[in-house]
Amino acid sequence: DAWRLVATDVAQWRDPAGAARKTMRVCKRYAFASHLRRMSCVVVDEQAKSHAWVVCKGAPEVLKPLLASAPPEYDAAWRTRAARGERVLALASRPVTDWRKLQRSDAETHLEFCGFVSFSSPLKPGTRRVVAQLTASMHRCVIITGDGALTAAHVARQVGILTNPADPDILVATSRFACWRSLAAEADEDAACEPFRSQDVA
């Protein structure tokens, strides 16, 4: 028994005998936005159309403040997986009524934590060799990525870009500012932050 996508925006759960037991339809989307680092949908139960839910996925550190409550091990769980190089998303949901008029700012609040999903993305063959050759020929190799900082640091160590065993400083950029912050504190918005200067990367 499993959920399956049976049509555009329609998922169906069938029992072991193959009988359809529940059908859910995506009725509204709040698209992924890079500055928000999350996306959400409103899904409706086709068998009971008054039953609707907001379902949300996004960066764990972004979703945490939107949860009604988070388990004590929340941060340790996602950070452990990210530090192993996995791409980690947090999942959350909540029931809603009158969803047609629901604004995004209201939809993505008081969510119930559903769990994490993580993805492994092994290095392509030859990546370490190519980075080593570039470094040997006096090229400076850096990583610019939309992945979380812990994931990026793991990949950088794998390919030989990051060789210092100590946690590096990372450049954190928002719509308001850019600054340097220690990797250990990258998810803490109140952590000390050194102003970014263009000559730092010259």
Side-chain angles (χ1 to χ4, degrees):
D1 55 328
W3 286 95
R4 293 177 181 168
L5 192 65
V6 296
T8 303
D9 292 339
V10 179
Q12 194 172 76
W13 179 80
R14 293 179 176 271
D15 64 20
R21 296 300 184 188
K22 187 177 287 291
T23 302
M24 306 294 288
R25 181 181 298 274
V26 176
C27 295
K28 192 171 188 176
R29 279 189 173 85
Y30 303 104
F32 176 80
S34 58
H35 67 286
L36 296 177
R37 300 175 64 199
R38 64 179 183 268
M39 71 164 290
S40 299
C41 295
V42 176
V43 297
V44 174
D45 187 338
E46 291 286 271
Q47 282 74 34
K49 292 187 180 294
S50 61
H51 295 175
W53 291 264
V54 172
V55 292
C56 184
K57 66 176 181 179
E61 64 272 32
V62 167
L63 254 62
K64 187 179 180 182
L66 307 180
L67 301 177
S69 63
E73 66 279 7
Y74 183 95
D75 288 325
W78 76 260
R79 289 178 68 88
T80 296
R81 290 189 172 277
R84 295 200 298 250
E86 298 177 23
R87 279 71 175 171
V88 185
L89 293 174
L91 308 176
S93 68
R94 75 176 179 93
V96 291
T97 56
D98 198 19
W99 57 266
R100 291 174 179 81
K101 299 180 181 179
L102 194 62
Q103 299 298 310
R104 182 169 197 160
S105 58
D106 297 320
E108 297 175 338
T109 59
H110 299 95
L111 298 167
E112 179 182 349
F113 176 60
C114 298
F116 296 114
V117 58
S118 61
F119 304 90
S120 176
S121 181
L123 294 177
K124 294 180 179 178
T127 301
R128 294 185 187 89
R129 174 178 50 79
V130 170
V131 170
Q133 290 172 344
L134 289 170
T135 303
S137 61
M138 303 303 292
H139 287 80
R140 183 185 180 192
C141 297
V142 300
I143 290 182
I144 301 173
T145 178
D147 286 330
L150 287 168
T151 302
H154 176 84
V155 173
R157 288 190 174 100
Q158 280 189 307
V159 300
I161 291 176
L162 184 58
T163 57
N164 191 328
D167 281 337
D169 286 341
I170 59 170
L171 182 61
V172 178
T174 72
S175 59
R176 295 180 291 109
F177 64 89
C179 69
W180 294 103
R181 182 173 289 162
S182 73
L183 179 63
E186 58 87 23
D188 182 2
E189 293 185 354
D190 297 322
C193 197
E194 294 292 330
F196 168 72
R197 303 170 304 168
S198 59
Q199 58 264 38
D200 291 339
V201 293

